[in-house]
Amino acid sequence: MDIKVKTEVFDDDFGDDDPVVGEIDVFLSKQLENKIYVLQYPIRPQNRTYDDSNFLSAKIKPKVNKVELDIGLDTYNDNYSKAKGEQYALNVDGKQPNQIKSASRSKQEGERYYKSSLMDKQVLTSTNATLGQMNRLYHLGVLKDNALHLNPIQAILQMKPSFDYFDLVEKKAKDSKDSKDANESEVDLEDEFENELEKAELVTMKYSSHPNKPVTEPEQNWINLEYCDQNNSESNQLKKNVL
């Protein structure tokens, strides 16, 4: 539905120093309302866009305006260090599936962060640059046939590299240490259970009443998206919907 905005031109006292040279019709379109996101790449050089990159996957959490993009890395590039790539993949995923017993191989393959023995992708994650109601101030404008078509923007998101794989390495090291400590400790299980239960109750009560308890974002599952480049037929069809 398009809403035509009527405008009137009033005479002013500024003379002809800044005369009106033309008038255009303005339309407010809501066909793509709540579906338009502007993605910015603040730390990416202007002459190195992602237009020709290999996008592996895209996903979104619309309730919190969060987007993640998986971009494949060219592991055959002369500037790519395979030694470093192998080390990162080993630290994050451990041994390759062909080095693991067949009983747990399929499970390991499904949980892997990288698909190969190399660090073969980069993850871009978003931060919202239009918190609160700021998104209502921005519109996507298209000027065509002497008419300006405005489309409300849901959010402006700044995409930056994610380093979650460091958290995975830290968690893996912690889990390994906890498992080792558990195997080496010899305690009375019954007394230990009672002691830990008392500690858990105390910690839970104290944490629940803590005034600085961190606020987490609302839980929402990722929604997988299909990436289409700017010259794709589906992209061209969507562009027509902004008019």
Side-chain angles (χ1 to χ4, degrees), residues 32 142 230-231 234-243:
L32 296 176
V142 178
Q230 58 183 343
N231 298 320
E234 294 185 28
S235 298
N236 293 330
Q237 183 60 42
L238 284 174
K239 292 175 185 177
K240 297 179 180 178
N241 292 339
V242 302
L243 302 177

Side-chain angles (χ1 to χ4, degrees), residues 75-237:
T75 58
Y76 295 98
N77 191 290
D78 293 338
N79 297 321
Y80 182 87
S81 173
K82 289 193 175 182
K84 293 291 185 181
E86 289 177 349
Q87 188 61 53
Y88 276 123
L90 180 62
N91 291 342
V92 174
D93 292 325
K95 295 180 179 180
Q96 284 292 295
N98 56 10
Q99 298 174 323
I100 303 174
K101 294 181 179 179
S102 58
S104 59
R105 184 178 303 170
S106 59
K107 181 180 178 181
Q108 289 286 343
E109 289 177 348
E111 296 176 350
R112 295 185 65 81
Y113 189 79
Y114 300 115
K115 299 301 182 183
S116 67
S117 61
L118 297 171
M119 181 182 180
D120 52 20
K121 72 175 182 180
Q122 179 186 38
V123 178
L124 301 183
T125 188
S126 66
T127 55
N128 194 342
T130 49
L131 297 177
Q133 302 298 321
M134 286 182 61
N135 61 309
R136 296 185 178 182
L137 302 176
Y138 300 96
H139 289 72
L140 173 65
V142 178
L143 183 61
K144 185 176 182 180
D145 298 333
N146 204 36
L148 178 61
H149 302 264
L150 298 178
N151 299 263
I153 289 175
Q154 176 65 15
I156 298 176
L157 305 179
Q158 295 187 340
M159 308 299 296
K160 300 177 183 179
S162 170
F163 298 98
D164 285 347
Y165 53 88
F166 285 124
D167 295 334
L168 295 175
V169 173
E170 183 178 351
K171 181 179 183 301
K172 180 181 175 183
K174 183 178 182 302
D175 291 345
S176 177
K177 181 178 182 300
D178 291 344
S179 177
K180 182 179 180 181
D181 293 343
N183 293 333
E184 293 178 351
S185 60
E186 296 181 2
V187 295
D188 187 333
L189 296 181
E190 184 175 351
D191 292 342
E192 183 69 16
F193 177 77
E194 293 179 354
N195 292 336
E196 290 300 324
L197 183 59
E198 290 182 8
K199 292 180 182 179
E201 291 175 348
L202 291 174
V203 170
T204 302
M205 293 173 63
K206 182 177 180 181
Y207 182 77
S208 299
S209 60
H210 198 287
N212 296 323
K213 181 179 178 180
V215 179
T216 58
E217 65 182 30
E219 292 188 6
Q220 181 185 14
N221 293 331
W222 286 105
I223 299 176
N224 293 323
L225 304 174
E226 179 182 356
Y227 174 80
C228 300
D229 63 46
Q230 58 183 343
N231 298 320
N232 186 279
S233 59
E234 294 185 28
S235 298
N236 293 330
Q237 183 60 42

Side-chain angles (χ1 to χ4, degrees), residues 33-71:
E33 188 175 17
N34 302 326
K35 296 181 180 179
I36 297 180
Y37 294 83
V38 175
L39 303 187
Q40 299 177 336
Y41 304 88
I43 63 174
R44 185 76 171 181
Q46 188 175 5
N47 61 343
R48 295 183 58 202
T49 67
Y50 287 106
D51 292 346
D52 298 325
S53 298
N54 178 24
F55 284 84
L56 304 175
S57 65
K59 53 188 179 181
I60 187 174
K61 289 184 177 181
K63 289 184 179 180
V64 293
N65 294 326
K66 191 175 183 66
V67 171
E68 278 195 3
L69 303 173
D70 285 9
I71 302 177

